[in-house]
Amino acid sequence: MLLNLNIIDLAVVDALDLDLEPGMSVLTGETGAGKSILLTALGLALGDRADSGYVRPGSKRAEVNIEFDLSKAPLVKQWLEANELDDDGQCMIRRTISDDGRSKAYINNHPVNLQTLQGLSRQLVEIHGQHAHLTLLDSEEQRRLLDGFAGNQTLLDNLNSCYQNWKQAHKELHQLLKAGSDQAEREELLRYQLDELQQLDLENFDYQALADEHNKLANLGKILGVGQQQLDILYDNDQQSVADMLGHVIHAINELAQYAGELNAVSELLSDAEIQIGEATQQLRRFLENQEADPQQLTWLESQIGVIQRLSRKHKIQPEELPELATRFASELDNLSHSSERIESLNADCERLLSHYRKLAGELSASRRQAGTELQQRISDTIKELGMPHGEFIVNLRTQENAEPQRNGVDSLEFLVSTNPGLPAKPLAKVASGGELSRISLAIQVTTSTDKTTPTMIFDEVDSGIGGGIAEIVGQKLRRLSKNRQVLCVTHLPQVASQAHQHLFVAKNQNAAVTSSTVRRLSDEERVNEVARMLGGVTITENTLAHAREMLVSGGLAPSP
């Protein structure tokens, strides 16, 4: 159950801290007062997309906090524990939106992404919008409602898992059968290409090492010639080697250091350099002595590199990728060589999965048919109560017994309705009157909600287009719905407002520099005045007040659930 809603700097709301109670709560106020922003705030906290336009002008960020009581929501507790988000049985959600459009979400002070937040929200709150009747025209939404009413989720999950496995096996089988006619030709090509690649000693393949060795052997003459020249310059030239000249320099600096001690440091550096030159000379000499021309190795390297470059151009890949290509060819060749065994195995899998799918689909169809009979009766009864005495609601379920497997079963579903005697039932989309469609939509929403476990339900002006005695019946049904869960209803109808256990009033303050909205709980006497306003408009008479008081007493003014 939703315990508290706290809003800071969101659109027209400067600051709001609202406590909510069990049972049915209504939210009323003048048109444009800001009722919708409360539902917007709840939607944001529950995972709706956000942007910087929600931040109140002049503020850096907006924030929404909601708190839930989970004492009657064991499944939510389990979900929080499974996702390591539990905190001693409480559930607090926080959503912040910066003025640059970025948002953050937290569950019990743990940062979460929107997908996780939405996964929790679906178990806490169910929102029925004022345009729900448009959604109900969609066949997939109709299926979802029937399956929800029937409690088919586990069966659906099992069926769809079986369908995915069948689909994957069927696709692979189809590809193998399609390739069967070209199999021999493909095998021959793969073997030829694999033989070409295996000439390269793929287990020890290192193209860069081959290229480096070839580069060295191809330039060995230059390496030896230039290297020997440098050896002469460094050490072997008796007349003017670097080593001799450096020795003379060190001797001269040492003599000068007798007169200027500061030069001792220079002498030490030069001595170090003399040692380094000596070591470098030795390494260079050993390197040159160990070099030996190998024309046969150079020829072999040129041949190998030529083959590698030709194959890399042929397959349009880099030389370094040739071993990986050979592995792919070998894998494909192995699959083709064993394709007949694989086809046989896939055939068996497809038959087994198809049999299991049809068994599950049959169970699902039977469950839908049974639930559809009950659902259409309950909705028909509700439609009649809502001022359509001849209304008949029909769940038209058609099953294709041997159809190819598809997601969500082999049933096609359509909600039909007949509003006048003697006239055939028509799809919801062809109901002529908008008011009739609104009432039918409300009947479907209320009926399919009675068996749900969602602790909080929100109805946003779902009673639009309804009035008079029908509106009172709507209010009574929403109140009855609140016996087992919390119901929050935004309404303009006094007949609905008078049925609530808690009445919240939204008012707009336009005296400040920036418009703001406030929400407060009405006392019993204030409820009389508000219902009278909803009844009488601009001028409120004693008769209007008396009528309002009578409606509230009839609705059960004082008692709480």
Side-chain angles (χ1 to χ4, degrees):
M1 183 190 82
L2 181 60
L3 292 177
N4 179 267
L5 169 65
N6 179 273
I7 305 174
I8 301 172
D9 292 331
L10 182 75
V12 296
V13 178
D14 180 13
L16 172 67
D17 189 67
L18 183 64
D19 291 326
L20 293 162
E21 295 182 358
M24 176 181 172
S25 299
V26 291
L27 197 67
T28 67
E30 296 282 1
T31 300
K35 299 185 293 299
S36 61
I37 197 60
L38 294 184
L39 298 184
T40 298
L42 279 170
L44 289 170
L46 297 171
D48 286 353
R49 293 289 174 184
D51 62 61
S52 59
Y54 288 117
V55 181
R56 185 172 171 79
S59 301
K60 291 292 185 182
R61 71 172 191 177
E63 182 174 328
V64 182
N65 297 274
I66 54 177
E67 181 181 357
F68 289 89
D69 174 15
L70 302 182
S71 58
K72 296 182 180 180
L75 294 180
V76 179
K77 289 182 181 179
Q78 293 174 15
W79 186 94
L80 289 171
E81 291 173 1
N83 288 273
E84 298 182 349
L85 296 169
D86 56 311
D87 187 7
D88 294 330
Q90 69 176 352
C91 180
M92 300 184 67
I93 296 175
R94 179 161 65 98
R95 184 86 182 276
T96 62
I97 306 159
S98 305
D99 57 1
D100 60 3
R102 292 181 297 177
S103 72
K104 296 179 181 179
Y106 304 85
I107 297 175
N108 288 332
N109 292 320
H110 296 282
V112 295
N113 57 32
L114 280 188
Q115 184 177 3
T116 301
L117 177 59
Q118 291 164 356
L120 171 63
S121 300
R122 283 192 291 268
Q123 304 177 65
L124 291 169
V125 178
E126 183 175 318
I127 298 178
H128 297 266
Q130 54 184 303
H131 301 299
H133 59 280
L134 299 178
T135 307
L136 287 171
L137 302 181
D138 180 64
S139 59
E140 178 59 23
E141 176 65 12
Q142 294 176 7
R143 181 207 60 77
R144 189 189 67 78
L145 281 170
L146 177 59
D147 281 331
F149 180 78
N152 285 337
Q153 193 57 53
T154 300
L155 184 55
L156 261 176
D157 291 342
N158 292 336
L159 178 132
N160 285 330
S161 175
C162 180
Y163 164 71
Q164 289 297 337
N165 293 334
W166 174 86
K167 184 179 179 182
Q168 184 175 348
H170 188 264
K171 179 180 179 182
E172 186 180 349
L173 176 62
H174 178 72
Q175 289 173 339
L176 284 176
L177 292 173
K178 184 178 179 182
S181 59
D182 304 324
Q183 181 175 330
E185 184 178 340
R186 179 61 178 166
E187 281 189 55
E188 184 179 354
L189 175 60
L190 284 172
R191 284 197 172 89
Y192 173 77
Q193 292 177 325
L194 198 54
D195 287 343
E196 275 189 322
L197 292 170
Q198 287 173 341
Q199 297 174 21
L200 303 177
D201 186 20
L202 295 174
E203 291 184 1
N204 303 304
F205 184 84
D206 189 339
Y207 176 74
Q208 190 57 52
L210 289 174
D212 290 345
E213 186 180 359
H214 174 267
N215 192 39
K216 177 181 171 182
L217 288 177
N219 293 280
L220 188 59
K222 181 176 180 180
I223 291 171
L224 293 173
V226 175
Q228 188 60 52
Q229 289 176 5
Q230 307 318 306
L231 196 59
D232 289 342
I233 293 171
L234 286 170
Y235 198 82
D236 291 348
N237 190 322
D238 294 333
Q239 298 179 352
Q240 196 177 14
S241 69
V242 171
D244 285 340
M245 288 190 292
L246 187 55
H248 291 311
V249 172
I250 292 172
H251 180 73
I253 294 296
N254 284 337
E255 287 187 352
L256 294 176
Q258 299 176 27
Y259 313 109
E262 300 96 309
L263 293 175
N264 284 323
V266 176
S267 177
E268 289 178 7
L269 290 172
L270 290 171
S271 296
D272 291 341
E274 186 178 32
I275 294 170
Q276 295 290 328
I277 289 173
E279 292 180 357
T281 300
Q282 291 177 9
Q283 287 190 29
L284 177 58
R285 191 186 304 282
R286 285 195 296 270
F287 170 77
L288 294 174
E289 289 173 350
N290 290 329
Q291 301 310 305
E292 183 178 352
D294 189 344
Q296 291 183 344
Q297 177 68 3
L298 180 60
T299 301
W300 181 83
L301 287 170
E302 289 176 345
S303 174
Q304 280 292 98
I305 290 174
V307 171
I308 290 171
Q309 292 179 343
R310 177 179 62 80
L311 288 174
S312 66
R313 286 194 299 271
K314 175 181 177 179
H315 296 290
K316 298 180 181 180
I317 59 174
Q318 294 299 316
E320 294 82 2
E321 298 176 72
L322 289 172
E324 182 184 350
L325 178 65
T327 301
R328 292 204 304 270
F329 282 167
S331 176
E332 184 181 352
L333 184 59
D334 182 67
N335 288 337
L336 286 175
S337 300
H338 297 86
S339 62
S340 59
E341 299 173 11
R342 182 60 179 158
I343 287 173
E344 185 178 347
S345 174
L346 286 170
N347 262 321
D349 287 344
C350 285
E351 289 180 9
R352 175 180 54 81
L353 290 167
L354 181 59
S355 175
H356 186 51
Y357 176 90
R358 286 181 173 161
K359 176 178 177 295
L360 293 173
E363 294 175 7
L364 183 60
S365 296
S367 175
R368 285 171 173 167
R369 198 168 291 108
Q370 181 179 353
T373 300
E374 181 182 354
L375 181 63
Q376 68 183 20
Q377 184 60 54
R378 288 169 63 170
I379 293 178
S380 294
D381 292 342
T382 304
I383 289 175
K384 290 179 173 66
E385 293 179 21
L386 294 179
M388 300 168 64
H390 302 292
E392 291 293 336
F393 182 84
I394 297 171
V395 177
N396 186 22
L397 188 71
R398 298 181 300 277
T399 302
Q400 297 175 289
E401 297 291 346
N402 296 313
E404 184 173 283
Q406 53 189 327
R407 187 170 178 80
N408 297 324
V410 293
D411 302 313
S412 59
L413 172 70
E414 190 173 31
F415 287 171
L416 306 177
V417 66
S418 173
T419 57
N420 295 297
L423 295 180
K426 296 180 180 179
L428 288 183
K430 296 185 178 179
V431 174
S433 166
E436 287 178 337
L437 185 56
S438 294
R439 277 180 278 177
I440 295 167
S441 169
L442 183 59
I444 294 172
Q445 292 178 69
V446 171
T447 303
T448 55
S449 296
T450 54
D451 296 311
K452 293 182 180 178
T453 59
T454 311
T456 298
M457 305 189 73
I458 298 173
F459 293 88
D460 179 18
E461 296 188 26
V462 295
D463 50 16
S464 60
I466 298 171
I470 304 304
E472 185 176 353
I473 294 172
V474 170
Q476 292 170 355
K477 287 192 170 295
L478 291 174
R479 184 180 174 99
R480 282 200 296 270
L481 194 61
S482 72
K483 287 183 179 180
N484 301 317
R485 60 184 55 79
Q486 182 185 43
V487 171
L488 179 62
C489 179
V490 178
T491 184
H492 288 287
L493 300 178
Q495 297 94 328
V496 174
S498 63
Q499 297 289 331
H501 301 101
Q502 179 182 218
H503 193 140
L504 305 172
F505 180 72
V506 184
K508 182 180 289 187
N509 178 15
Q510 295 178 317
N511 295 327
V514 180
T515 300
S516 64
S517 293
T518 60
V519 183
R520 62 187 179 87
R521 179 176 178 175
L522 299 181
S523 66
D524 289 351
E525 191 56 36
E526 287 173 326
R527 286 191 68 179
V528 172
N529 291 328
E530 172 61 5
V531 172
R533 179 195 68 78
M534 298 170 77
L535 281 168
V538 177
T539 304
I540 300 176
T541 66
E542 286 298 326
N543 287 337
T544 308
L545 288 169
H547 186 191
R549 193 171 286 108
E550 182 182 357
M551 289 179 68
L552 286 164
V553 170
S554 176
L557 176 57
S560 294

